[in-house]
Amino acid sequence: MKAAYEDIVNTNHIASFVSRENIADILALAQREHIAPASQDVKRSLLLAIDVQNDFMEGIGSLGVAGSKGDVRRLTKWMYRNIKSLTGVICSLDCHSMMQIFHPVWWLDEEGKHPAPFTIISYHDAVNGVWTVANGETGRSLEYLRNLEFEGKKQLCIWPYHCLEGTSGAKLESEFTKMLYFHAAARNAKPKLVYKGQNPYTEMYGIIKAEYDQEHFVNHTVLNAIRAYDAIFIAGEASSHCVLASVEQILEHYATDRSITSRITVLEDCMSPIAGFENSTRQRFEELKDTYGVQIKKSTEVAI
């Protein structure tokens, strides 16, 4: 490699609004490498990067995840080390409006006040008037809460306003973006950006589908892309929610095909949980490892 890692990524600027992408400079660096295009790869490998966005970065994000700076540093170093054999990258991006069922503005308490972030709203409380819907969408809101509990999903959590479309918080973290486009130019491989969470009536932690929605949307484009790769590596934020849900949904879809589920490696040092979910997250990933043959490894243990 002619370009050093430090020529691409400034680790002091990870999770910092000081960072500027300077994509033209990054592309110029990449074009000096003369690496074979990704289309020529015999063994095809995919990085599935979940929600590596500013609002999930500690120190700057409205829903910052402790440890996320280190996650980005390790992930970008892994990408750099494996750039000659990393075929493709798919990035999911949370993308929300202000008026969504998991944001405070959707709900009112008995005094007419919006709930504080991290409030849990149950179907029972909503039916009994502890919480009412501010915008008149009561029927659909109750349907959502009822189905969450009926299907054993996570209870509705009110999150801080995050990843609002058009805001800096919704952007990919800038130092990760530099490595993403360095890879794209060096390998002549366009990254795929997958937006999720735009349905106002539901939460969509995973990249494949919402927790519950009337339309039962499934992102078959991503599922079919996964099938086309020999090795799939998954990282991002937060491991307890969006990464875990994405992995679970992929495994659920391919549950009867061990040849695909065993291709998946979770980069455990390139993701971090929301505080309070550390133990349950670790336990759940171990269960997925035992059930589906998913590999859980540190980025330093994995070379493509």
Side-chain angles (χ1 to χ4, degrees):
M1 295 283 287
K2 295 181 175 66
Y5 171 82
E6 292 77 13
D7 295 331
I8 307 163
V9 172
N10 184 334
T11 56
N12 292 324
H13 288 172
I14 292 174
S16 167
F17 288 129
V18 172
S19 180
R20 295 292 182 272
E21 284 90 353
N22 298 321
I23 294 299
D25 294 341
I26 295 299
L27 300 187
L29 282 175
Q31 288 160 3
R32 295 167 47 202
E33 298 297 335
H34 303 295
I35 301 172
S39 60
Q40 296 181 11
D41 287 356
V42 176
K43 179 184 178 182
R44 291 171 52 79
S45 58
L46 171 70
L47 171 63
L48 183 55
I50 304 296
D51 299 1
V52 187
Q53 294 168 269
N54 284 332
D55 265 344
F56 300 119
M57 294 293 113
E58 58 186 328
I60 64 169
S62 63
L63 195 48
V65 179
S68 54
K69 286 186 181 181
D71 296 334
V72 171
R73 174 174 52 81
R74 288 181 288 271
L75 179 57
T76 52
K77 285 188 174 181
W78 179 84
M79 293 171 69
Y80 176 80
R81 290 195 303 271
N82 292 283
I83 203 131
K84 294 181 181 180
S85 49
L86 178 60
T87 308
V89 183
I90 296 176
C91 300
S92 73
L93 294 100
D94 249 7
C95 185
H96 305 313
S97 64
M98 182 181 70
M99 185 62 75
Q100 297 209 221
I101 198 167
F102 49 78
H103 278 154
V105 71
W106 192 275
W107 300 92
L108 294 170
D109 66 12
E110 294 169 294
E111 298 178 355
K113 297 178 182 178
H114 297 299
F118 307 108
T119 298
I120 300 298
I121 295 183
S122 69
Y123 175 71
H124 178 271
D125 285 346
V127 166
N128 287 283
V130 176
W131 297 103
T132 57
V133 180
N135 62 0
E137 296 277 5
T138 302
R140 195 155 181 183
S141 300
L142 290 177
E143 177 196 8
Y144 180 65
L145 294 174
R146 183 175 62 251
N147 277 279
L148 280 185
E149 297 183 14
F150 177 76
E151 296 183 11
K153 301 288 187 178
K154 296 179 180 70
Q155 288 184 294
L156 175 64
C157 179
I158 301 302
W159 297 109
Y161 296 106
H162 64 284
C163 297
L164 296 182
E165 51 193 351
T167 67
S168 58
K171 286 177 73 268
L172 288 171
E173 194 283 325
S174 291
E175 298 303 313
F176 170 77
T177 300
K178 292 178 183 179
M179 188 59 73
L180 178 69
Y181 281 96
F182 181 84
H183 170 269
R187 302 297 325 274
N188 192 24
K190 181 182 177 181
K192 295 182 180 179
L193 305 184
V194 177
Y195 294 88
K196 65 184 182 69
Q198 295 172 296
N199 183 340
Y201 302 103
T202 185
E203 299 154 289
M204 189 172 181
Y205 295 116
I207 191 174
I208 303 302
K209 60 183 180 180
E211 293 297 284
Y212 167 80
D213 71 276
Q214 290 182 345
E215 295 78 20
H216 304 291
F217 168 77
V218 176
N219 195 325
H220 287 286
T221 299
V222 173
L223 290 171
N224 292 336
I226 287 169
R227 180 186 289 277
Y229 288 90
D230 302 295
I232 301 100
F233 302 90
I234 302 180
E237 305 301 340
S239 60
S240 53
H241 287 71
C242 295
V243 178
L244 178 56
S246 296
V247 173
E248 288 177 326
Q249 291 170 4
I250 292 166
L251 294 177
E252 177 185 290
H253 182 79
Y254 287 114
T256 60
D257 193 342
R258 186 74 171 238
S259 70
I260 293 180
T261 63
S262 61
R263 300 176 196 174
I264 297 172
T265 299
V266 177
L267 300 176
E268 64 177 345
D269 61 338
C270 298
M271 61 181 194
S272 295
I274 291 176
F277 291 88
E278 295 87 351
N279 292 334
S280 61
T281 301
R282 189 180 307 110
Q283 179 180 343
R284 182 56 179 151
F285 273 113
E286 287 297 325
E287 291 171 356
L288 298 176
K289 178 181 177 181
D290 293 340
T291 303
Y292 297 102
V294 173
Q295 301 178 63
I296 302 174
K297 295 185 176 181
K298 289 182 167 55
S299 59
T300 50
E301 299 172 338
V302 177
I304 304 173

